[in-house]
């Protein structure tokens, strides 16, 4: 049940401590346990650099950033996490009760004019946001900063749009996906147009889910990654893990051949087996990930619910224990084939899940569902920007194109943090370190025709079909 007062003015900015994605909380919980004192930095990248902010938009963004320091966990939010996220440890929740972001100390947003610096409000420029501090203290910035930057752009720069039809559009998309039998989650916080759009969209999806259930459709809405929206609709939030967890541990240890196994090991060390059991495969390329995934689990001493192993028995492997994997870059068809070959080679007969989350739309979901089921997998879909930032310019009928912006860990413990992925367009971090690690791991370069990062959700001259 949604208890929000829809008659109040549309909220701007980030309105709640839980207005973030679940995996930021789960990763903060794991960082709190294992790496509480590690210093880190993050880098902001605009993969659509033609989309710039005005000085006025940047000033609004800075104002919203400063307000992040006023947000704290409410008693209701704490009770919600205790009820719906039992895998978050009591020690972590005690930490979270007192936790505050300190943007004045941890962030440095800057505006770089593209021409002469006149100081005019309508002057255009590129923005940059430096983030630094302890990992546990700064890990929550990524989602609100991305959401606020997107909101600033569509509040001041591309303003030829309105909310009309957003809930209905989401309902229609939901029905099409559910009619096709898809299991869908809403993953659109980071690049949403604003919070109100995401709330309208999720309300439309919830309506489609209820109607689909009445009609006996095979598809299912499994939830949203946005913890605040999940709380509003009294649903559990959903999430996996981000590249950041693997990137951070690799940077801290500077042991790339063993970093993936260490990341898997410590994730289970924090949450136990069978909890939050979807593994992200592509941080250093899926083939490298699978080497670690096939190894027997080496349990850390304080792992929750360590299973008893009888004499002569071997521990289960990570691949056996994890429920499945997430595909976030590269060619999905090749990925499905690679995973099928891997599980067969491992002798794993259990049906595993593949979560697809890379720039999805309805057609892609239906196609990836078909190829996954043909290979014996259970596919599910984390659909983001296609839901929460799908607008048309009112005056032209052309697409109002979302920003493609990312914030990635850039260093940990003084060492550069990098991501390689399964598509060259998603390489992130220090180029010298990327080249060094690729050589060390024997990484085979891959490009995918569908992986153009500059136009993931369309181009400005695309005419939208009604």
């Amino acid at each position: 049940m949604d208890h929000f007062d829809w008659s109040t003015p549309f909220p701007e900015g980030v309105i709640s401590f839980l207005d973030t994605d679940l995996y930021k909380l789960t990763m903060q919980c794991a960082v709190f346990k294992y790496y509480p004192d590690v210093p880190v930095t993050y880098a902001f990248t605009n993969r659509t650099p033609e989309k710039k902010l005005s000085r006025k938009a940047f000033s609004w963004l800075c104002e919203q950033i400063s307000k992040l320091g006023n947000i704290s966990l409410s008693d209701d939010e704490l009770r919600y996490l205790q009820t719906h996220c039992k895998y978050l440890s009591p020690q972590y929740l005690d930490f979270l009760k007192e936790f505050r972001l300190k943007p004045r100390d941890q962030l440095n947003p800057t505006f770089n004019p593209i021409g002469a610096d006149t100081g005019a409000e309508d002057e255009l420029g590129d923005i940059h946001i430096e983030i630094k501090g302890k990992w546990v203290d700064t890990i929550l910035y990524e989602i609100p900063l991305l959401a606020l930057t997107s909101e600033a752009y569509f509040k001041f720069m591309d303003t030829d749009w309105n909310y009309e039809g957003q809930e209905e559009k989401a309902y229609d998309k939901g029905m099409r996906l559910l009619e096709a039998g898809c299991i869908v989650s809403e993953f659109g916080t980071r690049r949403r147009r604003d919070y109100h759009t995401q709330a309208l969209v999720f309300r439309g999806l919830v309506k489609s889910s209820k109607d689909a259930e009445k009609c006996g459709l095979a598809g299912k809405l499994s939830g949203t990654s946005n913890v605040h929206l999940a709380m509003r609709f009294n649903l559990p939030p959903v999430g996996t893990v981000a590249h950041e967890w693997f990137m951070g541990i690799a940077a801290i240890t500077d042991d790339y051949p063993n970093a993936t196994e260490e990341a898997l090991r410590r994730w289970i060390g924090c949450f136990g087996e069978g909890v939050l059991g979807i593994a992200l495969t592509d941080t250093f390329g899926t083939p490298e990930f699978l080497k670690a995934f096939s190894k027997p689990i080496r349990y850390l001493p304080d792992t929750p619910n360590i299973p008893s192993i009888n004499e002569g028995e071997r521990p289960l492997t990570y691949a056996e224990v994890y429920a499945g994997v997430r595909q976030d870059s590269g060619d999905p068809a090749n990925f499905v084939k690679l995973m099928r070959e891997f599980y067969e080679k491992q002798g794993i007969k259990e049906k595993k899940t593949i979560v697809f989350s890379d720039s999805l739309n309805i057609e892609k979901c239906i196609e990836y569902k078909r190829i996954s089921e043909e290979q014996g997998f259970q596919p599910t879909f984390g659909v983001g920007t296609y839901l929460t930032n799908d607008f048309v310019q009112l005056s032209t009928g052309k697409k109002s194109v979302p920003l493609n912006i990312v914030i990635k860990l850039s260093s940990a413990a003084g060492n550069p943090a990098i991501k390689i992925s399964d598509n060259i367009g998603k390489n992130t971090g220090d180029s010298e370190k990327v080249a060094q690690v690729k050589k060390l791991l024997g990484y085979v370069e891959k490009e995918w025709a569908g992986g153009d990062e500059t136009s993931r959700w369309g181009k400005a001259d695309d005419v939208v079909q009604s």
Side-chain angles (χ1 to χ4, degrees):
M1 179 72 181
D2 175 16
H3 298 293
F4 189 71
D5 181 1
W6 291 81
S7 65
T8 57
F10 304 144
E12 66 173 13
V14 172
I15 63 171
S16 161
F17 192 89
L18 298 187
D19 185 13
T20 192
D21 284 335
L22 175 67
Y23 69 12
K24 298 304 290 194
L25 298 181
T26 54
M27 287 190 298
Q28 189 186 37
C29 180
V31 170
F32 174 74
K33 180 169 183 174
Y34 290 118
Y35 304 104
D37 297 314
V38 171
V40 300
T41 60
Y42 291 82
F44 173 94
T45 303
N46 182 1
R47 292 171 175 165
T48 42
E50 73 283 0
K51 296 183 182 300
K52 302 183 188 301
L53 293 188
S54 65
R55 192 180 292 279
K56 185 177 182 182
F58 176 71
S59 296
W60 178 89
L61 176 61
C62 290
E63 184 185 326
Q64 296 301 320
I65 286 172
S66 70
K67 290 180 180 178
L68 295 176
N70 302 331
I71 297 173
S72 60
L73 193 71
S74 72
D75 291 343
D76 284 349
E77 289 170 338
L78 175 63
R79 279 192 292 273
Y80 172 80
L81 294 177
Q82 289 169 332
T83 303
H84 290 279
C85 306
K86 293 184 185 298
Y87 40 79
L88 297 175
S89 69
Q91 297 88 343
Y92 168 66
L93 291 178
D94 285 343
F95 162 80
L96 208 56
K97 276 190 288 189
E98 306 303 323
F99 180 76
R100 301 290 186 278
L101 294 168
K102 298 174 183 173
R104 186 180 296 179
D105 301 330
Q106 296 159 337
L107 303 185
N108 181 27
T110 53
F111 180 81
N112 303 305
I114 56 174
D117 189 350
T118 66
E121 280 197 334
D122 60 355
E123 188 170 41
L124 298 182
D126 296 309
I127 69 161
H128 184 63
I129 306 172
E130 289 180 9
I131 307 167
K132 62 181 180 180
K134 287 184 181 178
W135 197 5
V136 74
D137 293 333
T138 56
I139 192 169
L140 297 187
Y141 276 118
E142 177 193 359
I143 304 301
L145 288 179
L146 290 173
L148 288 170
T149 303
S150 178
E151 184 172 351
Y153 183 81
F154 290 105
K155 188 178 183 69
F156 293 94
M157 310 309 298
D158 178 353
T159 60
D160 187 17
W161 58 274
N162 63 28
Y163 297 109
E164 192 176 331
Q166 280 295 306
E167 186 177 335
E168 294 75 14
K169 188 188 284 190
Y171 174 89
D172 292 341
K173 288 175 181 176
M175 287 305 292
R176 285 179 64 192
L177 288 165
L178 298 172
E179 284 166 0
C182 295
I183 299 173
V184 183
S185 304
E186 184 272 305
F187 272 19
T189 305
R190 66 186 54 224
R191 297 188 190 101
R192 69 192 183 194
R193 191 138 301 203
D194 56 16
Y195 180 86
H196 184 63
T197 300
Q198 190 176 14
L200 288 171
V201 163
F202 195 62
R203 189 161 72 161
L205 292 174
V206 169
K207 284 182 181 176
S208 71
S209 174
K210 289 175 179 172
D211 287 354
E213 199 174 335
K214 285 178 197 167
C215 300
L217 300 181
K220 182 185 173 191
L221 176 68
S222 53
T224 173
S225 61
N226 186 294
V227 187
H228 187 253
L229 280 175
M231 179 178 166
R232 273 177 58 177
F233 286 86
N234 197 30
L235 298 166
V238 295
T240 57
V241 67
H243 300 101
E244 177 177 355
W245 179 243
F246 296 87
M247 292 168 69
I249 291 173
I252 291 163
T253 63
D254 200 26
D255 179 8
Y256 281 80
N258 296 302
T260 297
E261 182 189 358
E262 193 63 19
L264 292 169
R265 184 184 185 214
R266 289 182 184 254
W267 194 254
I268 285 178
C270 188
F271 300 109
E273 289 185 10
V275 180
L276 302 169
I278 298 294
L280 181 58
T281 68
D282 68 333
T283 309
F284 307 117
T286 296
E288 179 64 22
F289 169 85
L290 294 179
K291 291 177 193 173
F293 208 40
S294 64
K295 292 179 179 177
I297 299 171
R298 294 181 299 120
Y299 293 97
L300 289 158
D302 55 354
T303 299
N305 306 315
I306 297 178
S308 56
I309 300 168
N310 297 323
E311 198 174 330
E313 289 182 345
R314 66 163 179 83
L316 296 175
T317 65
Y318 295 100
E320 287 173 310
V321 165
Y322 273 80
V325 292
R326 174 157 76 97
Q327 192 271 343
D328 195 54
S329 65
D331 185 338
N334 287 345
F335 180 85
V336 169
K337 186 181 174 196
L338 179 65
M339 291 310 305
R340 174 44 56 217
E341 289 169 354
F342 169 79
Y343 281 122
E344 285 189 357
K345 189 176 178 183
Q346 296 294 308
I348 295 172
K349 307 294 185 191
E350 178 192 350
K351 190 169 192 173
K352 296 291 187 178
T353 296
I354 297 181
V355 179
F356 294 92
S357 59
D358 186 20
S359 307
L360 300 177
N361 59 27
I362 291 169
E363 291 71 26
K364 288 177 182 176
C365 290
I366 292 171
E367 172 65 8
Y368 302 165
K369 178 177 184 289
R370 180 186 63 77
I371 60 178
S372 301
E373 290 177 344
E374 284 175 357
Q375 295 287 354
F377 290 107
Q378 173 62 66
T380 72
F381 304 92
V383 186
T385 310
Y386 173 69
L387 291 170
T388 60
N389 207 332
D390 185 12
F391 286 79
V392 174
Q393 291 183 335
L394 300 176
S395 60
T396 66
K398 292 183 177 179
K399 187 166 182 61
S400 174
V401 181
L403 279 74
N404 187 353
I405 46 178
V406 294
I407 290 174
K408 292 292 181 188
L409 197 68
S410 54
S411 75
N415 297 320
I418 63 160
K419 180 182 78 144
I420 297 175
S421 88
D422 288 332
N423 174 33
I424 193 170
K426 284 193 166 186
N427 286 186
T428 302
D430 181 82
S431 56
E432 198 174 303
K433 190 67 176 181
V434 168
Q436 178 194 331
V437 173
K438 283 180 176 180
K439 187 175 180 182
L440 177 67
L441 300 181
Y443 179 86
V444 178
E445 205 63 76
K446 297 180 188 69
E447 282 194 73
W448 175 48
D452 179 2
E453 290 301 317
T454 63
S455 57
R456 298 316 305 265
W457 302 284
K459 297 181 179 178
D461 56 356
D462 289 349
V463 177
V464 177
Q465 304 296 319
S466 57

